Structures are given as structure tokens and as C-alpha cells.
Amino acid sequence: MVDALDKNFARLCSQLIVNCEKKSIIMVPFEKLRTPKIQANYWVQGRSQEQIDEKVNELKEAQALFLAECLAQAKIKDGPIISNALPGCSWHQFGEAVDCYWLRDGYPCWDLEAKDTNNQNGYEIYANEAKILGLEAGFYWRTFRDSVHVQLQSYSSPLELYSIVEIDAVMKDFYD
């Protein structure tokens, strides 16, 4: 299930990586399909127990019981907020998103503003090449910029296409 990306998206991602390599930029996928439980762990990071409990109750009230349980079981971790997407509300859970890091001089480069010896920013090239292929690149997001992220959908969240109850049913069927 780890590599269960949408077939069309997987083909585009392979082409994206090749296109970046042609420009001397090596991008390495580190996260593809992400379970709702992992997404829940990302969402709770940097949030208070009160905020988490409130969101769990909202999901329960909306009858999204599987997603509520994923969030209720999440492991609270200190640190900055790293995701605004609730479990089920990231395209990673649908196999339509991938995160890649830039391998610069043989090491992962997490400095999103870094440039190589040719004055190229790997994340900017990755985003430009993604855009050429018709993919959405988190590099261009105005709020919560996510330079490692590309996705098939132009919609920021599955919630723009589906109700939380529909998402809950899909997630339960696929991951439970």
C-alpha cells in the first residue's frame, strides 16, 4: 500500500523527477501515500489538547467517526504546526500527493532558499517543472508554503470536492 499512488499521478511524478534531473536537480521522494493516522499525528503537532479535543468532537458531531478516532489516538508532539490538513483531508491519503527533498551535493537540503553552484534553487525548479506537467506545487502556496509538496489536484483539500462524511467512508474502507 505504501506505493499505492494514483497511476496517472505516479507517471507524472516519475516524469517530474526525470525533468528535474535534466536540470541537474535531484529530487528524492520521501513521503507518498500517507495514512489518516499519520496525518492525524502531523495535524496535532503544535496544537493544544483543548484544540484537539474540540476537533475530535466536531468530527464526531459530523458523523466522521473513523477520522475522529484517528485524531483522538494521535500522539501529541511538541514543535511547530506542520499541517493544517485533518486526517482524510490531505491528498496524500488519496494517493495524489508526494513530498520530495532536494539532494544537494549528496545530502538532503532542507533549506528552502538554498541555491546550488549554478545559482539554482532545487525547490523552485521542482515546482516549475511540476507546474509544466499540470501538477499543483506547494512552493507557490501563499499561506502555509510547502516547498517539498506536489499534488495532482488543484483543489487544496478533498473537502472542496467531498463532504467530511464521504471522506470518512472512503478512509474507513481503504485504511481500516
Side-chain angles (χ1 to χ4, degrees):
M1 181 164 50
V2 171
D3 289 327
L5 291 178
D6 172 90
K7 299 280 186 244
N8 180 51
F9 179 63
R11 182 185 56 75
L12 290 168
C13 286
S14 294
Q15 187 61 56
L16 172 59
I17 289 170
V18 167
N19 292 355
C20 289
E21 285 176 3
K22 288 179 182 176
K23 296 189 178 213
S24 301
I25 299 297
I26 306 301
M27 298 304 294
V28 179
F30 69 92
E31 191 152 32
K32 299 175 189 174
L33 188 69
R34 181 186 301 154
T35 70
K37 289 181 180 183
I38 292 171
Q39 186 65 41
N41 285 329
Y42 289 173
W43 187 87
V44 300
Q45 182 174 318
R47 290 185 168 86
S48 69
Q49 187 64 57
E50 182 181 342
Q51 291 171 305
I52 297 163
D53 292 344
E54 181 180 317
K55 203 52 82 170
V56 167
N57 288 332
E58 284 178 24
L59 288 169
K60 285 179 179 177
E61 287 172 14
Q63 296 302 305
L65 303 179
F66 177 75
L67 298 177
E69 188 60 27
C70 289
L71 200 55
Q73 293 176 358
K75 308 284 187 269
I76 298 175
K77 184 177 174 186
D78 289 333
I81 290 174
I82 60 171
S83 180
N84 285 328
L86 288 167
C89 298
S90 165
W91 291 112
H92 281 283
Q93 280 90 80
F94 289 80
E96 295 183 7
V98 68
D99 293 342
C100 294
Y101 65 81
W102 176 23
L103 189 65
R104 181 176 166 238
D105 300 325
Y107 298 95
C109 177
W110 299 104
D111 179 351
L112 305 178
E113 305 302 323
K115 302 212 176 198
D116 65 10
T117 55
N118 297 320
N119 203 32
Q120 299 183 106
N121 176 292
Y123 291 105
E124 184 173 10
I125 289 173
Y126 170 63
N128 289 339
E129 293 299 320
K131 188 175 180 180
I132 289 168
L133 291 169
L135 299 173
E136 179 75 16
F139 180 87
Y140 296 117
W141 294 346
R142 291 177 190 230
T143 58
F144 212 84
R145 187 174 178 199
D146 190 359
S147 297
V148 302
H149 182 89
V150 296
Q151 64 187 42
L152 182 61
Q153 297 284 340
S154 60
Y155 297 102
S156 63
S157 166
L159 282 171
E160 292 184 49
L161 294 175
Y162 310 108
S163 73
I164 196 67
V165 173
E166 290 171 315
I167 292 170
D168 186 73
V170 168
M171 295 296 108
K172 184 173 181 0
D173 286 347
F174 191 75
Y175 291 101
D176 193 24

